[in-house]
Amino acid sequence: MLNSTIEQLTLLKEGCAMDLSLLYEFDVPQPWEGEHPWGQRLAERKAYQESIEQIVLADAVGFDTVWCVEHHFRENRSHMPCNEVVLGALSQITKRIKLGFGVTLMPHEFIHPARVAEKVATVDVLSGGRAVWGMGRSTPMEQTAFGVDIARSKDKMCAAARTVVGMWAEQYYEEHSEFLEFPKRMVTPKPWQDPHPPAWMAASTESSAVMAGENGCGLLCFSIMQPLDKLKTLIDHYRQAQQRAKPLTSVHTNKVGIYTLVHCTDSRDTFEENRLWDSMWWWYKGLAEFHLKWEFAHLSAEQQEKAFPLLQRQARGDFDITEFDKEDMVIVGTPEECVQKLLRYEEAGVDQLLCYMNFGFLPNSAVLRSIELLGTKVLPELKKARATRTAQALEQGLAAAKHASPLAASPLVPD
């Protein structure tokens, strides 16, 4: 019993520390300076250059992973449709940070599974084994543009994932199935990691979180607009689903990654100067307007208002954007404040906090300083807090196991 308990506590120790990571969409806020096409072109060039600079700094100060999205046709936000190109470039100018596909769009109409296998494995090889494979289905706006069968998109995502794993595992792969006719071919290259990079799945609802858990994939989700108690409930459902998991891939991953807006600063006095609240409102308003235009156009006005109630409240002047901060749905403040907020996320069961740091109108200098503070001031304090809690948990667990063991009183059992 004692050895079993020690093994369980060791696993607890290994899995209890929350990592700090990054999520990048390459926002390009409008209005752009100048007429089309140069207004857009120059703004996108600036966004790419500054984002790359920020990620390189994050690598140097100890962030765990950078997740790069794959989105198409998302004006203002998410001007990054080719995350494999960005991650490939990062593989050559970073040293340690993991390179996350956040995500690869998997249903067959988006892309042939062989292309997914090729691009993820290529980044893994270029980076010496730092690739992390996220998968998702996207939303109706992108799905309809690519002709995706929305009703079968979950089935197709899982089928494509199994195909990708087969292409990595077998020297020559062949498939004749409901969704794919593929002749015997050698898919190259094979991943650096053996058997392949860990797999994660994007989720925005409880049902999709359960799906990720049942398939033995890591969970990628968001916290903004979700109080921590609601987020914890979603995580609990994911963990319960993991107990009956039948892994979709050859790597079983049981971790939760949550993203939210993050901004760390020397003093809150900088918020107005750096337009933090304006940037946060821009992010929420853009999210709402996008969904109302592209995803929820079929809903009634009443249903639309229920989906994004803050739009109307803000228009009436009875919503304060700082409520996101007060409810810890975002993480902003001094290093000391950020540490306390992050510990609450860790207590809710989050394994990896994906910091969405480059949003809205924040100047590049402010984002760089935020990354620097998180790496040099916040991460060390998080590690200290984890070490203290882990030592206490181990001490209490060992004491309980020793007390419960029938050999506890024996002189042959060391203290």
Side-chain angles (χ1 to χ4, degrees):
M1 177 183 290
L2 184 59
N3 288 339
S4 175
T5 302
I6 292 173
E7 290 175 2
Q8 293 175 3
L9 290 168
T10 300
L11 290 173
L12 172 65
K13 179 180 178 182
E14 291 173 351
C16 70
M18 183 176 72
D19 294 316
L20 284 190
S21 296
L22 298 166
L23 176 70
Y24 270 82
E25 296 195 311
F26 287 13
D27 296 351
V28 188
Q30 296 186 42
W32 301 320
E33 295 182 10
E35 298 296 326
H36 183 78
W38 288 105
Q40 179 178 350
R41 289 182 178 183
L42 294 175
E44 287 174 338
R45 292 175 189 179
K46 182 172 181 286
Y48 270 71
Q49 291 167 356
E50 291 182 350
S51 296
I52 294 295
E53 179 184 6
Q54 294 159 16
I55 295 166
V56 169
L57 175 61
D59 174 54
V61 299
F63 279 71
D64 183 80
T65 306
V66 56
W67 295 87
C68 291
V69 306
E70 178 191 339
H71 276 311
H72 305 271
F73 326 122
R74 298 277 182 107
E75 56 189 271
N76 273 311
R77 279 179 53 201
S78 303
H79 285 236
M80 188 178 3
C82 302
N83 52 7
E84 70 271 24
V85 178
V86 175
L87 294 171
L90 289 170
S91 74
Q92 302 304 291
I93 57 176
T94 59
K95 297 180 179 179
R96 188 203 55 81
I97 197 166
K98 298 184 186 73
L99 305 174
F101 286 82
V103 295
T104 54
L105 299 182
M106 297 299 295
H108 299 69
E109 296 91 342
F110 279 122
I111 189 171
H112 194 287
R115 293 292 296 116
V116 176
E118 291 165 348
K119 66 182 185 178
V120 175
T122 298
V123 170
D124 203 37
V125 171
L126 286 172
S127 64
R130 289 187 281 144
V132 185
W133 176 31
M135 64 183 78
R137 300 179 294 129
S138 189
T139 58
M141 184 263 201
E142 290 176 311
Q143 291 170 339
T144 54
F146 283 91
V148 174
D149 181 354
I150 297 175
R152 301 297 307 277
S153 60
K154 288 184 179 180
D155 295 335
K156 289 189 172 186
M157 177 178 68
C158 292
R162 286 189 287 268
T163 298
V164 169
V165 172
M167 289 175 169
W168 284 336
E170 299 178 22
Q171 184 175 8
Y172 293 93
Y173 183 83
E174 182 176 4
E175 180 176 327
H176 306 282
S177 64
E178 180 182 5
F179 300 128
L180 184 66
E181 282 292 325
F182 185 72
K184 187 175 182 179
R185 295 289 187 272
M186 178 186 289
V187 178
T188 64
K190 303 304 185 189
W192 180 288
Q193 297 174 72
D194 183 29
H196 61 74
W200 295 61
M201 189 176 290
S204 58
T205 63
E206 181 182 307
S207 62
S208 53
V210 168
M211 178 182 177
E214 290 177 339
N215 282 285
C217 294
L219 172 65
L220 293 171
C221 197
F222 65 92
S223 73
I224 193 168
M225 300 182 293
Q226 291 194 86
L228 277 178
D229 57 346
K230 183 177 179 182
L231 180 64
K232 186 179 185 307
T233 299
L234 185 146
I235 293 173
D236 289 344
H237 284 292
Y238 167 78
R239 300 294 190 196
Q240 292 166 11
Q242 278 280 355
Q243 296 176 11
R244 57 182 182 272
K246 296 180 180 179
L248 178 65
T249 75
S250 301
V251 179
H252 187 171
T253 302
N254 184 2
K255 289 187 177 182
V256 173
I258 301 296
Y259 87 81
T260 191
L261 305 184
V262 177
H263 185 72
C264 190
T265 180
D266 295 282
S267 168
R268 283 182 171 251
D269 294 339
T270 66
F271 283 180
E272 293 299 327
E273 174 188 354
N274 292 328
R275 300 183 66 188
L276 175 69
W277 303 124
D278 288 345
S279 298
M280 195 176 296
W281 177 247
W282 170 88
W283 192 92
Y284 176 85
K285 184 171 181 285
L287 178 72
E289 290 176 343
F290 171 84
H291 278 81
L292 292 175
K293 178 180 180 180
W294 295 107
E295 313 289 8
F296 299 158
H298 62 287
L299 299 180
S300 67
E302 183 180 355
Q303 290 172 319
Q304 290 181 347
E305 183 175 348
K306 185 178 180 180
F308 290 99
L310 303 187
L311 281 180
Q312 294 297 325
R313 288 180 58 191
Q314 178 76 354
R316 294 192 302 267
D318 63 356
F319 173 72
D320 183 356
I321 192 66
T322 63
E323 290 297 322
F324 285 142
D325 175 29
K326 295 172 185 175
E327 295 293 332
D328 290 336
M329 290 185 282
V330 297
I331 298 173
V332 299
T334 64
E336 294 77 16
E337 291 174 319
C338 288
V339 168
Q340 295 307 311
K341 288 174 179 286
L342 286 164
L343 289 175
R344 295 186 191 112
Y345 275 76
E346 187 173 86
E347 290 169 0
V350 177
D351 299 299
Q352 188 175 138
L353 199 288
L354 283 57
C355 303
Y356 197 134
M357 304 186 69
N358 187 1
F359 57 93
F361 315 107
L362 291 171
N364 186 41
S365 58
V367 178
L368 290 171
R369 180 57 178 162
S370 181
I371 291 171
E372 181 182 6
L373 288 171
L374 287 170
T376 60
K377 302 292 185 181
V378 174
L379 271 173
E381 292 303 315
L382 286 177
K383 291 177 181 178
K384 288 180 185 178
R386 294 168 192 153
T388 299
R389 289 203 308 274
T390 299
Q392 292 172 346
L394 285 170
E395 183 177 352
Q396 294 170 0
L398 287 171
K402 183 177 178 181
H403 177 75
S405 171
L407 300 177
S410 171
L412 297 178
V413 179
D415 292 331

